[in-house]
Amino acid sequence: MANQAKTINQKGDLMSYRPDIKLLDATIRDGGLVNNFGFSDEFVKELYKTNIKSGVEYMEFGYKASKELFDVKEFGKWKFCDEEDIRAIVGENDSPLKLSVMADVGRCDFKKDILPKSESVIDMIRIATYTHQMPGALEMINYCHDMGYETTINIMAVSASREDDIAQALDLVAKSPVDVIYLVDSYGSLFPEQVRRLTAQYCEVAEASGKKVGVHMHNNQQLAFANTIESISHGASFADATMSGMGRGAGNCFMEQMLSFLRNPNYKLTPTLKFVEKYVAEERAKGSQWGYDVPYMLTGALNRHPRAAISFLKDNRTDYNELYMDLLNELS
Amino acid sequence: MANQAKTINQKGDLMSYRPDIKLLDATIRDGGLVNNFGFSDEFVKELYKTNIKSGVEYMEFGYKASKELFDVKEFGKWKFCDEEDIRAIVGENDSPLKLSVMADVGRCDFKKDILPKSESVIDMIRIATYTHQMPGALEMINYCHDMGYETTINIMAVSASREDDIAQALDLVAKSPVDVIYLVDSYGSLFPEQVRRLTAQYCEVAEASGKKVGVHMHNNQQLAFANTIESISHGASFADATMSGMGRGAGNCFMEQMLSFLRNPNYKLTPTLKFVEKYVAEERAKGSQWGYDVPYMLTGALNRHPRAAISFLKDNRTDYNELYMDLLNELS
């Protein structure tokens, strides 16, 4: 086998404070996929206060989903993130915490639902896209940028994309006004060495075009934290995390671990530990389920969308080998 | 901050099969610390059969603990691993699976309890030591080697050792007849970049003296799997894992993840998935508790023995911030 010598450019070390690193709390948005966005106002208000106290830089409130495509009666309000609902939590957001929402290409009436920045407390719009939707993503980026927002592009499921397609997408992104290019492991399928290679590729494009790189990882293989810190150690600046990893399926990188890992003197772990003790415990007691489990490991290892694992667990099944055989059959 | 350029020698890649890699199932030994070695004979027999079917190379039965120091009535039999107890499970062990036991320096009557290899079905003795016990470890290595066994030295808690001490210990180990030098993260405190540096250091010593490097990681920071694959990707050959990570506190690297990750065509995931479905579930139903939780993250992140976290959880406490404050106070 090859004994490969590789030069890896590490940025900072375990003890250094890199002011370019920003934490984004995605609990309501990714966690909303677990409980159909059914958070109590108290949960959201306390999370907002906790993020401010902890020194977290961004908090994502949810999606700007189309009310034409989705019935507002079937989802909690954070699927839609109406301006007045966010303001009911944050007022004028007189704090250093910036607010973001996510908009999916093809699922957002952005020309109708996204107000000019001067009329909104939202600071950043994150555009989530697959590589085949790039023209739609670029249109939304341009629109949101022109409306005065910070923007990110979150290119999803890159573990299942052809490398050609990723390279082409990055070429297009480089020419756009987007601020942050997100490396997203939707399937929780990437290993650290792949994350280092992809981070290097994303950073090369970002540095040449004056942008930053962000990272959003899933925990199917218990690698969300490892992949997040590997990516930031190799140049990414924006890191997504959620309270105790709350998020679809196996969930995300844990906010409490990021606050414990990073050396930014503004970060405080105590408010987040207290939030986890009370509010994450209550959310679990309500029946919300997420986190590493065998079925998620299988879909992650086989580079598949987690839907088969989610459905398997919803049916209270434990015949893991049957799921494994089914997944292998679908591949063949 | 420094922008460090580092050359990392990677061994193999994600698709290659490295015949030097050996999996060691430590479920009974490290998992025995969770249930006081109270496994049913059925559990141990089925685990033995599962490891054979899965293609795992080594299975550890437990400790060779001193019956002078420990009361046999207070522990299950795998704390002591009498020859006849192992034979009751494996007979003459007519299989490719090799058997190991662990012996702690200062807690094993090795001259009395370790039989000549010709009288034992055990293949490998693993000597667990702290750096300050090195002379005792070397005496045991020489003894076990002379008795005909494969040997490993498992230098524990290196995250809390001075680098000088690690270097001196490795110098001594290089001159010994030991076969495998284990990098052990007892506190679950190491980050992947530290694991890569330590692996490089261990491999340099091992390669110069004709030995192999092994890796034993704990999951306090959800890094057991990540650190294990980073270490083997950078040169380690022996990897410890346990069924669903069963082991003290936050537990270990998951065997099902290793079997899913490695590309050795002899490895089969199905037998392990079936074992996890039935026997790991039964063990949890009996009340055995292990796995990632906030208190273990705190002791890991603060580079401390997990005992405070184990005791915190045993008392059914959830006031995480109090534990955090206590741990910080002890450091100051």
Side-chain angles (χ1 to χ4, degrees), chain A residues 1 25 33 37 55 101 112 222 239 243 312 324 331:
Chain A
M1 83 222 60
D25 169 49
L33 299 172
F37 304 90
V101 292
K112 185 175 125 212
Q222 298 196 81
M243 291 294 180
F312 179 94
Y324 179 50
L331 285 177

Side-chain angles (χ1 to χ4, degrees), chain A residues 90-246:
Chain A
V90 308
E92 291 295 317
N93 185 31
D94 183 19
S95 84
L97 179 67
K98 291 187 176 181
L99 312 183
S100 76
V101 292
M102 182 165 273
D104 283 342
V105 175
R107 295 181 178 184
C108 172
D109 305 319
F110 59 96
K111 292 183 185 167
K112 185 175 125 212
D113 291 336
I114 293 180
L115 309 173
K117 169 69 193 109
S118 57
E119 298 168 26
S120 176
V121 287
I122 298 168
D123 297 284
M124 183 160 80
I125 316 261
R126 305 209 304 166
I127 314 297
T129 185
Y130 293 101
T131 49
H132 69 271
Q133 300 170 311
M134 282 302 297
L138 294 167
E139 185 188 13
M140 290 171 71
I141 288 165
N142 286 318
Y143 186 87
C144 296
H145 175 78
D146 290 346
M147 295 292 261
Y149 293 97
E150 296 177 40
T151 56
T152 78
I153 180 161
N154 294 38
I155 308 171
M156 297 184 288
V158 288
S159 64
S161 296
R162 295 183 63 250
E163 285 169 343
D164 255 13
D165 291 342
I166 298 173
Q168 282 184 42
L170 292 176
D171 276 351
L172 291 170
V173 167
K175 296 172 198 139
S176 82
V178 82
D179 298 295
V180 186
I181 316 172
Y182 257 90
L183 172 58
V184 183
D185 182 18
S186 308
Y187 298 172
S189 183
L190 296 175
F191 293 108
E193 66 177 88
Q194 296 172 300
V195 169
R196 290 193 290 273
R197 284 197 291 269
L198 285 162
T199 300
Q201 183 185 10
Y202 279 53
C203 282
E204 196 181 339
V205 172
E207 281 166 23
S209 53
K211 305 181 188 309
K212 298 285 185 192
V213 169
V215 60
H216 180 91
M217 294 287 147
H218 278 273
N219 209 29
N220 296 60
Q221 301 195 84
Q222 298 196 81
L223 291 172
F225 176 59
N227 283 341
T228 301
I229 66 178
E230 284 298 290
S231 186
I232 62 175
S233 296
H234 293 87
S237 302
F238 280 66
D240 283 14
T242 65
M243 291 294 180
S244 292
M246 186 179 186

Side-chain angles (χ1 to χ4, degrees), chain A residues 19-80:
Chain A
D20 65 304
I21 294 177
K22 312 288 179 199
L23 285 174
L24 184 146
D25 169 49
T27 305
I28 304 299
R29 206 266 311 156
D30 213 322
L33 299 172
V34 172
N35 67 4
N36 207 26
F37 304 90
F39 295 101
S40 68
D41 283 354
E42 184 189 354
F43 185 102
V44 181
K45 260 185 202 163
E46 289 301 321
L47 180 59
Y48 170 71
K49 287 189 214 162
T50 298
N51 283 325
I52 293 170
K53 285 187 213 159
S54 298
V56 166
E57 285 88 354
Y58 287 83
M59 172 172 170
E60 189 152 86
F61 270 75
Y63 286 96
K64 275 277 186 195
S66 163
K67 292 178 185 172
E68 309 292 321
L69 293 175
F70 300 97
D71 185 342
V72 294
K73 292 194 293 290
E74 287 179 15
F75 299 90
K77 57 190 166 190
W78 306 112
K79 173 94 173 173
F80 307 98

